[in-house]
Amino acid sequence: MLNITDDIRQLKRVIESKAQHPYLLKHIQKPSLDEDKLILLWGLFSDLDVLSEKRNQYIISTMLVQIALDTHEIVSNSGEGVELPEVLKNRQLQVLAGDYYSGLYYQVLAGVGNVDMIRLLSSAIKKINDHKIILYQQGSINDVPTLLKTIKAIEASLIHNLADHYNQPDWIDLAEGLLLLNRLLAEKRSYLKSGQSIVFDVLREMPFDDTISGTMLISAKEERVRTQFDKCLRDAGQSVQCSMRKLAKLDEELQERVNVILEQTESIANSYVKEG
């Protein structure tokens, strides 16, 4: 029986060791590792008849891709005014670091000669980047289902492609639901802290039904946006609970992590700073 705690700890050590580069770490922050995606990958592969060595290589490669995507994501695109040399250097190093982490995943999979896995992950990378463009392109999303589909593609395409390859639809449902929920929670926290959230921005751009006046007060429209967002949050939580019931052999530690996220959903739902 695989032990998730020991395995995750070991996988984290290997991934962090591979992602370390002395020069890059001198000038940019240490790459973040999305532990929920790591746990989901572990859960998926624990249900498959895959040799442990290959299983670890596939998980490590996928997480290196995720680190590369996350590193590119934090590169500032403001481009406002004249940039100081150190700021420009930092941006360039962030891009370089993302490319470096991408190269590492090719190296790991090439070492075992798995061309199919390289294709699977490359296809997921393209899908993720395509949907990031859709999310940030003003006016390209006009309804909530399209918005949620776009977020799922951004957050879960790596795991989706792997689970689809191994014919594991229940793991697709759980990964998409849980990672959508995680992203919505992060967007809600950002909104509460700073008022900034790409998801709230997209919801504001959507047309309201014709019962709503086009000259409605900004505060009333914002309340509608909040209500719609909270409905998405609750629906995502219910979807995750449904997906968990389909996976009867879900590891206890993974179940605990999912339950923590669901509890966070309950505590943050309908919570807003009272406006003066």
Side-chain angles (χ1 to χ4, degrees):
M1 177 68 179
L2 296 170
N3 182 291
I4 186 171
T5 303
D6 293 341
D7 269 11
I8 292 294
R9 187 181 297 116
Q10 181 180 357
L11 286 164
K12 281 180 63 178
R13 280 199 298 264
V14 174
I15 294 165
E16 290 171 351
S17 174
K18 286 185 175 294
Q20 281 186 357
H21 189 288
Y23 180 75
L24 290 175
L25 293 180
K26 258 188 189 179
H27 298 279
I28 63 174
Q29 66 189 56
K30 181 181 177 181
S32 61
L33 196 157
D34 192 322
E35 292 195 25
D36 288 329
K37 290 177 182 176
L38 177 57
I39 291 173
L40 284 166
L41 285 167
W42 185 94
L44 167 63
F45 280 100
S46 70
D47 271 0
L48 301 174
D49 185 20
V50 178
L51 293 175
S52 60
E53 183 180 356
K54 285 191 174 183
R55 171 180 65 92
N56 289 348
Q57 288 166 335
Y58 297 161
I59 293 174
I60 290 166
S61 299
T62 306
M63 289 308 302
L64 288 171
V65 172
Q66 186 63 58
I67 289 173
L69 289 165
D70 292 343
T71 301
H72 280 145
E73 183 74 13
I74 63 176
V75 176
S76 170
N77 292 315
S78 61
E80 296 178 0
V82 179
E83 290 186 331
L84 296 173
E86 59 267 29
V87 175
L88 179 59
K89 179 179 180 180
N90 181 269
R91 288 182 60 201
Q92 291 171 334
L93 285 173
Q94 288 284 4
V95 174
L96 178 62
D99 294 342
Y100 173 72
Y101 302 138
S102 291
L104 289 175
Y105 108 81
Y106 280 107
Q107 184 184 52
V108 172
L109 291 179
V112 292
N114 197 318
V115 177
D116 287 340
M117 193 63 66
I118 292 175
R119 288 199 190 101
L120 279 174
L121 295 180
S122 296
S123 173
I125 293 169
K126 181 182 184 303
K127 185 177 180 181
I128 289 167
N129 288 330
D130 287 346
H131 280 273
K132 282 182 178 179
I133 292 171
I134 292 171
L135 181 63
Y136 286 94
Q137 185 177 3
Q138 188 173 6
S140 60
I141 299 177
N142 294 312
D143 56 75
V144 172
T146 301
L147 172 60
L148 299 181
K149 179 181 177 182
T150 298
I151 296 173
K152 285 180 181 180
I154 292 170
E155 297 298 326
S157 283
L158 291 171
I159 299 175
H160 178 118
N161 279 21
L162 289 169
D164 185 57
H165 176 71
Y166 288 105
N167 192 27
Q168 296 290 321
D170 290 343
W171 279 102
I172 293 176
D173 290 343
L174 179 60
E176 288 188 340
L178 187 64
L179 297 178
L180 168 64
L181 186 58
N182 263 354
R183 176 64 182 263
L184 292 177
L185 286 170
E187 294 289 336
K188 181 73 174 277
R189 293 190 191 99
S190 177
Y191 178 86
L192 292 174
K193 182 178 180 181
S194 65
Q196 302 298 313
S197 161
I198 182 61
V199 174
F200 277 82
D201 290 345
V202 173
L203 287 171
R204 289 188 195 103
E205 293 172 2
M206 290 182 189
F208 287 96
D209 60 59
D210 56 13
T211 63
I212 302 301
S213 168
T215 58
M216 68 187 297
L217 294 173
I218 293 176
S219 59
K221 184 174 182 179
E222 190 70 7
E223 185 60 33
R224 286 291 300 270
V225 168
R226 291 175 173 181
T227 299
Q228 183 64 73
F229 183 94
D230 288 339
K231 182 179 185 306
C232 293
L233 199 59
R234 288 192 299 272
D235 289 349
Q238 291 171 2
S239 174
V240 170
Q241 290 175 325
C242 180
S243 297
M244 285 177 66
R245 288 193 289 269
K246 295 178 184 177
L247 289 164
K249 295 181 180 179
L250 202 62
D251 183 272
E252 285 185 10
E253 188 161 334
L254 179 51
Q255 283 184 338
E256 285 180 17
R257 176 57 191 154
V258 174
N259 287 332
V260 167
I261 295 171
L262 291 171
E263 288 171 7
Q264 291 173 354
T265 305
E266 290 296 323
S267 66
I268 203 172
N270 303 113
S271 58
Y272 293 98
V273 177
K274 186 175 180 181
E275 295 174 345

